[in-house]
Amino acid sequence: MGKVVFSDARVWRYLMTAIGKIIEEGILKFTEDALVLKAMDPSHIVLIDLYMPRTVFEEYDVSGEEKLGVNFNDIVKIFKRATKNDRLALEFSKSKLAILFLGSSERKFVLPLLTLSEEEIPEPKIKFKVTARMTSATFRDVLRDIEPVSEAVKFIGEEGGVLRIIGYGSKGEAEIQLSSETGTLIDISVEENSEATYSFDYFKDIVSASQAAETTAIRFSTNIPCRLDFELAGEARLSFYIAPRIE
């Protein structure tokens, strides 16, 4: 048996929605120190890396290690019922997961746990030449601006401290230029000029996670996977590694 309590159920709604766009099933692993999830999408284009230390929870009653096999489609349907003032409690046994929304009333949903095989996923060892941090609101605005024409998105990091984001496809092209000098970036580090292209659909799928985070960081180098970090409170984060698009 185990139980954790989190202060804002909507944060989980945004995170689970983004994860559920990439994978249908996965294992939430609760250790004595943290909640972690590592999983690849079926095409092995996107790696999900969720880390939430026990310190971000109001209550964290976990002994040893608990692995919860879950269907994210089912979880997302339940988390859509989370409202503004709801706290979240998760109670789990060997066979069931109870999701409780603690607000003006207490609502409880119980799901069966799945028996899933755990895939060993090593930590990616990637040297990123460009790191750019922005508010999550800026990140969402950029995606909304380029979405009407985008099948692909290209990131270009320039040594002058500029990040150019270009969306393009059969319908046309859109370009956004960001920098710390103009205030559109919180900070940027460019070790060398770099550019890489990715399928836009993956960014559109995971953008909901930005609603749970104050800041979003984009890390990339020329023609290698990029890493998107949605930086949550208390050193928690949800990261996505996205393989480049080959053209």
Side-chain angles (χ1 to χ4, degrees), residues 16 18-28 37-42 46 48 68-76 112-119 121:
M16 295 300 108
I19 292 170
K21 293 278 190 177
I22 303 300
I23 58 172
E24 182 177 347
E25 298 175 344
I27 296 175
L28 295 172
L37 165 69
K38 281 193 176 181
M40 296 283 293
D41 77 311
V46 182
I48 302 167
L68 312 184
V70 297
N71 181 298
F72 285 100
N73 292 335
D74 294 338
I75 281 186
V76 168
L113 293 176
L114 308 178
T115 301
L116 302 175
S117 58
E118 186 175 12
E119 183 179 2
I121 301 175

Side-chain angles (χ1 to χ4, degrees), residues 44-96:
H44 282 216
I45 291 176
V46 182
L47 166 63
I48 302 167
D49 186 1
L50 172 66
Y51 172 75
M52 300 184 77
R54 64 178 298 154
T55 52
V56 305
F57 293 87
E58 290 184 359
E59 180 181 340
Y60 195 87
D61 183 12
V62 178
S63 177
E65 182 177 274
E66 299 285 350
K67 298 179 181 180
L68 312 184
V70 297
N71 181 298
F72 285 100
N73 292 335
D74 294 338
I75 281 186
V76 168
K77 291 175 184 176
I78 291 173
F79 272 102
K80 286 181 178 179
R81 305 306 306 156
T83 58
K84 181 178 180 181
N85 297 316
D86 284 338
R87 294 159 62 238
L88 169 69
L90 300 177
E91 298 177 349
F92 39 89
S93 64
K94 292 298 182 183
S95 61
K96 293 180 180 180

Side-chain angles (χ1 to χ4, degrees), residues 5-207:
V5 178
F6 193 79
S7 61
D8 188 346
R10 291 182 308 163
V11 167
W12 277 66
R13 183 179 78 191
Y14 301 137
L15 299 181
M16 295 300 108
T17 297
I19 292 170
K21 293 278 190 177
I22 303 300
I23 58 172
E24 182 177 347
E25 298 175 344
I27 296 175
L28 295 172
K29 184 189 297 184
F30 287 86
T31 71
E32 293 186 350
D33 299 319
L35 161 64
V36 295
L37 165 69
K38 281 193 176 181
M40 296 283 293
D41 77 311
S43 63
H44 282 216
I45 291 176
V46 182
L47 166 63
I48 302 167
D49 186 1
L50 172 66
Y51 172 75
M52 300 184 77
R54 64 178 298 154
T55 52
V56 305
F57 293 87
E58 290 184 359
E59 180 181 340
Y60 195 87
D61 183 12
V62 178
S63 177
E65 182 177 274
E66 299 285 350
K67 298 179 181 180
L68 312 184
V70 297
N71 181 298
F72 285 100
N73 292 335
D74 294 338
I75 281 186
V76 168
K77 291 175 184 176
I78 291 173
F79 272 102
K80 286 181 178 179
R81 305 306 306 156
T83 58
K84 181 178 180 181
N85 297 316
D86 284 338
R87 294 159 62 238
L88 169 69
L90 300 177
E91 298 177 349
F92 39 89
S93 64
K94 292 298 182 183
S95 61
K96 293 180 180 180
L97 169 65
I99 300 171
L100 295 88
F101 298 133
L102 310 175
S104 54
S105 63
E106 180 178 305
R107 291 163 289 150
K108 182 177 182 179
F109 306 83
V110 180
L111 292 174
L113 293 176
L114 308 178
T115 301
L116 302 175
S117 58
E118 186 175 12
E119 183 179 2
E120 288 296 327
I121 301 175
E123 191 71 27
K125 295 180 179 179
I126 301 172
K127 178 63 176 176
F128 298 107
K129 299 296 186 180
V130 180
T131 298
R133 295 175 66 248
M134 65 193 75
T135 67
S136 292
T138 296
F139 178 71
R140 290 193 296 274
D141 285 343
V142 167
L143 294 192
R144 280 194 290 261
D145 282 342
I146 68 174
E147 181 176 7
V149 297
S150 292
E151 296 166 9
V153 57
K154 178 184 290 187
F155 296 139
I156 301 175
E158 300 176 349
E159 289 181 346
V162 172
L163 174 65
R164 293 164 56 206
I165 301 177
I166 301 171
Y168 64 92
S170 59
K171 296 180 181 179
E173 180 177 306
E175 178 174 340
I176 312 294
Q177 184 167 296
L178 309 173
S179 69
S180 52
E181 185 175 325
T182 61
T184 47
L185 294 178
I186 298 171
D187 54 59
I188 182 171
S189 169
V190 181
E191 293 184 25
E192 65 180 45
N193 291 340
S194 303
E195 67 176 70
T197 301
Y198 308 91
S199 293
F200 180 75
D201 283 347
Y202 293 110
F203 291 82
K204 186 169 62 174
D205 285 343
I206 65 182
V207 69

